[in-house]
Amino acid sequence: MKKHYDILVIGSGIGGLVSALILAKEGLKVCVLEKNNQYGGNLQTFSRDKLIFDTGVHYLGGLSKGQNLHQFFSYLEIMKDLELQKMDENGYDKITFGDDKIEYPHAQGYENFVEQLSKYFPEEKENLENYCEEIQRVCNNFPRYNLIGKDSYNEEILHLNTRRFLESITSNKKLQSVLLGSNFLYAGDSENIPFYVHALTVNSYIQSAYKCKKGGSQISKLLIRKLREYGAEVYKHSEVTEVIFDENNTVSVVKTKSGKEYFAKQFISNIEIRCLTKLIGEEKFKKSFLNRVMSWEPVSSCFSVYLVLKPQSITNFNYNIYHFSSEESVWNAYRYNKNNWPETFMLSSTASEKHPEFSESLTAISYMDFDEVKEWENSIHTITNKQERGVQYDKFKQEKAEKMIEALEKKIPNIRDSIKNIYTSSPLSYRDYIGSFEGNMYGYIKSSENPLKTMVSPRTKISNLFLTGQSVNMHGILGCTIGAFNTCAEILGKELIDERLTQMINKNRSEEK
């Protein structure tokens, strides 16, 4: 049976789902195809021992009233149904180094951020204020960061380097490391990365930081519910295996693994950009574009350890811990010595429903190069395609989990006796479930030396094919949401998107009055 749509979206990461919903709200006939058993890309969760674990989204920023993600989610009509828990206002992230017992806080609200860190760096108060001011300036210069307004990039801001910027703000080495302490959120390279990546990432959390109760998958579930309300069709287990072009060199139909054909006027790809070029055929793209994409280096992948805890054994903490072996290691945290792994980790806690003062589970994540799992790269293991990776792989994961627990014991001495069950995921899990190249966390490495190299227009040379997702400019929930609005602006026109967002902002203001 042939199905015809106005828009067909390949992939159901947040960029694809948000794009689909924006277009469905405009009355277009939309279809989303997802190859996996679960929608949502990095929003996916999984259940172990009747507990929910997040694969990618451990907390969200900018979700308080009037802030940008709150407004984008309000426009998408999912904000009021999100179940959120605000994190510790005086330290949603705490940064620690080596054997130093001090936990340096990143607090919510810019004044509070300065106030809390000034307790540890009293002579740096003015420098901290300058840091906060510059972060906000950079964010305000970014297209669609404040929903409407600027529509072109400021070249000077794109070339600003994180290391050089921080060294210009303060000469205090420890404070530099503390300010960079959450750089796991952009894969730990603060030496080469453009400052705008750092600024866009930390700004929304300083504004406000929340955890999703019951996991990040509630975002994708709410988006899909809305999509269906607007008449869109969403299918999982629908892997696109062939893209067919018409005589005008535009995409006319895609075929799935099961042989179904889907016709559409326009197509949006929310899959990994290298996978797309293979799927479509490299000959369809300009050589210069292909060479550029193939020259990109993926950011690091990671290894995660999920600990199910015995009841009432560990006190819950409502913040994330970012731990580094030394202050200096912060700059290039993703580069590690295998023998000393994990030199860096992020640790988060989930409160027990029955006894919220205690944790029911902990998640610890550290960097891992794909090379460490390369010998098993030809195996695919998902819910629908379970290829066993063998005894050696299981042994590898057990050894890594043991090393992580040894590292965590320095923070939580009684942790070993408190563990009921241990689960793990490796770069192969991220590759197979999320579809990222070599299991990378956030797309491709960006450099302040050549920031435009990894920036891609949502509009491709194929007139009816558009791009969205973390490979296109910015990663993260906010980055991909902004990216989706930019993709839809290419399809519907910037003026229409601006008009819709302006209407919503004005409506919210009048309701508040």
Side-chain angles (χ1 to χ4, degrees):
M1 204 173 81
K2 291 180 179 179
K3 295 200 163 193
H4 291 262
Y5 303 92
D6 295 312
I7 302 279
L8 187 126
V9 182
I10 306 168
S12 72
I14 188 164
L17 293 176
V18 171
S19 299
L21 183 50
I22 294 164
L23 297 164
K25 276 169 68 86
E26 293 302 323
L28 296 174
K29 194 176 181 194
V30 177
C31 176
V32 181
L33 301 178
E34 168 56 52
K35 73 172 183 177
N36 281 332
N37 182 54
Q38 201 181 136
Y39 300 112
N42 269 312
L43 295 168
Q44 290 177 65
T45 52
F46 63 92
S47 176
R48 295 287 182 273
D49 298 26
K50 297 182 181 169
L51 302 182
I52 298 287
F53 289 93
D54 276 298
T55 56
V57 178
H58 297 97
Y59 61 145
L60 297 162
L63 274 178
S64 287
K65 236 184 181 148
Q67 292 169 1
N68 54 6
L69 195 56
H70 184 286
Q71 291 184 302
F72 282 125
F73 279 4
S74 297
Y75 179 75
L76 298 166
E77 301 171 52
I78 65 168
M79 190 61 225
K80 63 182 186 303
D81 295 316
L82 278 178
E83 289 187 54
L84 301 167
Q85 173 199 329
K86 198 164 198 190
M87 297 176 74
D88 190 328
E89 297 216 358
N90 291 332
Y92 62 89
D93 283 343
K94 297 197 178 175
I95 317 303
T96 64
F97 306 101
D99 299 324
D100 184 348
K101 292 282 181 270
I102 297 174
E103 295 181 328
Y104 296 94
H106 288 188
Q108 298 184 51
Y110 273 104
E111 279 183 30
N112 195 25
F113 184 90
V114 172
E115 187 186 327
Q116 297 304 327
L117 276 181
S118 294
K119 292 175 184 174
Y120 301 92
F121 303 95
E123 69 295 344
E124 294 284 335
K125 188 171 186 191
E126 194 180 329
N127 293 337
L128 282 163
E129 286 167 350
N130 292 340
Y131 167 81
C132 291
E133 211 171 279
E134 190 63 8
I135 280 188
Q136 291 169 90
R137 182 183 80 85
V138 167
C139 291
N140 289 336
N141 269 285
F142 236 71
R144 212 166 284 290
Y145 193 79
N146 295 319
L147 279 72
I148 43 183
K150 284 194 66 66
D151 57 0
S152 62
Y153 292 101
N154 177 323
E155 281 274 347
E156 172 248 329
I157 277 170
L158 293 184
H159 284 275
L160 200 56
N161 170 276
T162 303
R163 177 158 208 149
R164 286 196 294 274
F165 169 74
L166 271 182
E167 288 174 343
S168 75
I169 283 285
T170 176
S171 57
N172 186 313
K173 297 278 186 210
K174 178 156 262 181
L175 180 57
Q176 289 172 7
S177 296
V178 168
L179 293 174
L180 293 171
S182 59
N183 68 4
F184 197 92
L185 295 164
Y186 52 84
D189 174 12
S190 291
E191 200 148 50
N192 307 304
I193 204 129
F195 180 64
Y196 79 80
V197 175
H198 175 88
L200 295 178
T201 305
V202 302
N203 179 61
S204 56
Y205 292 107
I206 296 175
Q207 287 181 334
S208 62
Y210 292 86
K211 282 187 180 186
C212 274
K213 288 183 189 174
K214 300 175 188 160
S217 61
Q218 63 170 305
I219 298 171
S220 50
K221 285 171 186 161
L222 290 171
L223 288 168
I224 286 161
R225 191 202 299 167
K226 277 289 158 201
L227 274 165
R228 290 185 169 138
E229 278 176 28
Y230 280 99
E233 294 174 28
V234 189
Y235 301 107
K236 54 186 176 182
H237 304 301
S238 300
E239 182 178 359
V240 174
T241 51
E242 193 180 349
V243 176
I244 297 164
F245 286 76
D246 60 20
E247 63 281 0
N248 300 318
N249 206 28
T250 56
V251 182
S252 60
V253 59
V254 298
K255 278 187 183 177
T256 60
K257 208 173 190 174
S258 63
K260 284 186 182 166
E261 293 188 344
Y262 296 82
F263 291 76
K265 293 172 190 166
Q266 293 176 304
F267 296 78
I268 296 174
S269 168
N270 182 214
I271 62 173
E272 218 288 321
I273 208 158
R274 291 192 193 199
C275 298
L276 177 70
T277 59
K278 282 201 184 97
L279 176 64
I280 280 184
E282 294 184 354
E283 70 284 353
K284 295 286 181 189
F285 295 92
K286 279 190 171 176
K287 262 276 188 287
S288 57
F289 175 77
L290 270 181
N291 290 340
R292 184 155 68 100
V293 168
M294 293 307 168
S295 73
W296 295 348
E297 276 184 73
V299 303
S300 180
S301 188
C302 58
F303 188 90
S304 299
V305 179
Y306 308 97
L307 302 174
V308 176
L309 301 173
K310 292 172 185 170
Q312 302 176 61
S313 59
I314 288 177
T315 305
N316 183 53
F317 48 95
N318 192 22
Y319 52 86
N320 304 304
I321 294 170
Y322 288 98
H323 181 75
F324 298 86
S325 58
S326 67
E327 290 165 34
E328 188 51 39
S329 67
V330 175
W331 293 98
N332 293 297
Y334 68 105
R335 293 201 179 108
Y336 62 93
N337 180 326
K338 274 189 214 176
N339 301 325
N340 300 334
W341 189 93
E343 293 184 55
T344 304
F345 59 78
M346 174 198 178
L347 179 66
S348 64
S349 161
T350 302
S352 158
E353 279 197 29
K354 286 182 185 168
H355 303 280
E357 67 275 25
F358 291 100
S359 298
E360 63 181 17
S361 67
L362 298 175
T363 298
I365 313 172
S366 189
Y367 298 104
M368 183 172 282
D369 296 332
F370 192 74
D371 285 351
E372 289 211 48
V373 293
K374 208 166 177 60
E375 63 186 281
W376 302 287
E377 72 176 330
N378 293 326
S379 61
I380 305 289
H381 186 96
T382 61
I383 299 287
T384 52
N385 184 6
K386 292 191 176 181
Q387 292 180 13
E388 291 307 318
R389 291 188 169 124
V391 176
Q392 282 305 108
Y393 180 67
D394 292 338
K395 184 168 175 274
F396 165 82
K397 292 205 298 178
Q398 281 166 4
E399 285 170 1
K400 290 291 182 185
E402 175 57 31
K403 281 188 164 188
M404 181 64 87
I405 291 162
E406 278 174 26
L408 295 178
E409 275 183 302
K410 291 172 185 167
K411 292 256 169 250
I412 308 169
N414 66 325
I415 192 166
R416 203 174 282 276
D417 298 333
S418 307
I419 297 169
K420 183 180 164 195
N421 271 319
I422 302 168
Y423 301 96
T424 58
S425 61
S426 79
L428 293 170
S429 322
Y430 288 89
R431 180 200 68 179
D432 294 351
Y433 281 94
I434 292 161
S436 56
F437 178 66
E438 295 191 342
N440 74 69
M441 288 191 284
Y442 310 124
Y444 294 92
I445 293 173
K446 294 169 173 60
S447 165
S448 59
E449 293 301 303
N450 190 356
L452 297 174
K453 182 184 174 185
T454 47
M455 282 196 161
V456 183
S457 166
R459 186 182 284 281
T460 70
K461 294 296 178 226
I462 298 159
S463 63
N464 67 338
L465 175 67
F466 300 85
L467 306 174
T468 199
Q470 70 173 12
S471 301
V472 187
N473 305 342
M474 269 304 286
H475 66 276
I477 300 292
L478 178 61
C480 289
T481 299
I482 291 172
F485 275 86
N486 286 336
T487 298
C488 292
E490 293 290 342
I491 295 168
L492 299 169
K494 181 185 176 296
E495 296 73 20
L496 182 74
I497 294 288
D498 284 355
E499 188 186 321
R500 294 286 184 263
L501 290 169
T502 304
Q503 285 166 351
M504 180 208 63
I505 292 165
N506 292 339
K507 182 171 172 267
N508 289 350
R509 277 182 191 150
S510 63
E511 280 172 6
E512 279 168 30
K513 282 175 188 174

